[in-house]
């Protein structure tokens, strides 16, 4: 874990668990490197992610480094959270290239299960 610095305090805003985890993580030891070197587009995407009330997952750049917000945590479950934060992923498009992916999702599993249970009655 790294010490908090002004740039991380400005970047990882809010009082969410994920903002706190991102602020404390030693990014210099992970694929994207030090926060000071991150692009404006990544910083903007993270701001949107952390401030959203909807589940948001970001796979960033060629390394497909994973970022997500508090609302996305239940989707990862305890087996992947918080280990997934800042880790590489593997995804390819139709040209067999990789790129950044911004994913906003709506979790419907509980609602669908409830509807199915009601339909059985």
């Amino acid at each position: 874990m790294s010490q908090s610095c002004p740039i991380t305090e400005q970047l990882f805003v809010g009082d969410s668990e994920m903002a706190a985890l991102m602020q404390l993580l030693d990014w210099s030891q992970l694929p994207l490197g030090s926060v000071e070197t991150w692009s404006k587009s990544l910083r903007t995407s993270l701001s949107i992610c952390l401030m959203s009330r909807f589940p948001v997952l970001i796979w960033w750049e060629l390394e497909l480094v994973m970022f997500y917000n508090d609302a996305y945590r239940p989707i990862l479950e305890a087996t992947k959270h918080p280990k997934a934060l800042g880790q590489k992923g593997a995804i390819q498009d139709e040209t067999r290239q990789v790129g950044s992916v911004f994913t906003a999702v709506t979790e419907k599993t509980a609602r669908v299960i409830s509807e199915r249970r009601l339909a059985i009655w």
Side-chain angles (χ1 to χ4, degrees), residues 2 4 8 15 19 21 30 32 39 42 57-58 64 75 80 84 86-89 91 102 104 113 118:
S2 70
S4 182
T8 59
D15 59 357
L21 282 173
L30 297 172
L32 289 181
S39 68
L42 173 55
L57 167 69
I58 300 172
L64 295 175
I75 296 168
K80 294 184 178 133
Q87 299 304 310
K88 290 183 180 184
I91 192 166
F102 183 99
I113 290 171
L118 286 173

Side-chain angles (χ1 to χ4, degrees), residues 9 13 19 23 32 44 46 53 56 60 67 76 80 100 108 111 121:
E9 290 172 3
V13 296
Q23 194 173 103
L32 289 181
T44 301
L46 283 175
R53 64 184 178 103
V56 176
W60 195 259
F67 296 93
L76 291 173
K80 294 184 178 133
S100 300
K108 296 183 181 182
R111 190 192 78 196
W121 284 61

Side-chain angles (χ1 to χ4, degrees), residues 109-119:
T109 305
R111 190 192 78 196
V112 170
I113 290 171
S114 294
E115 289 173 358
R116 288 179 182 168
R117 286 180 180 158
L118 286 173

Side-chain angles (χ1 to χ4, degrees), residues 28-102:
S28 66
Q29 301 301 309
L30 297 172
L32 289 181
S34 177
V35 172
E36 291 81 7
T37 65
W38 292 2
S39 68
K40 184 172 182 164
S41 55
L42 173 55
R43 293 176 188 199
T44 301
S45 296
L46 283 175
S47 175
I48 293 167
C49 173
L50 290 173
M51 299 307 287
S52 178
R53 64 184 178 103
F54 296 101
V56 176
L57 167 69
I58 300 172
W59 295 97
W60 195 259
E61 292 189 345
L62 294 177
E63 294 87 3
L64 295 175
V65 174
M66 182 186 263
F67 296 93
Y68 52 95
N69 62 6
D70 281 14
Y72 196 86
R73 282 186 345 220
I75 296 168
L76 291 173
E77 300 178 342
T79 59
K80 294 184 178 133
H81 168 74
K83 296 180 289 192
L85 179 63
Q87 299 304 310
K88 290 183 180 184
I91 192 166
Q92 292 182 340
D93 65 15
E94 65 278 359
T95 65
R96 307 209 61 58
Q97 299 295 314
V98 292
S100 300
V101 179
F102 183 99

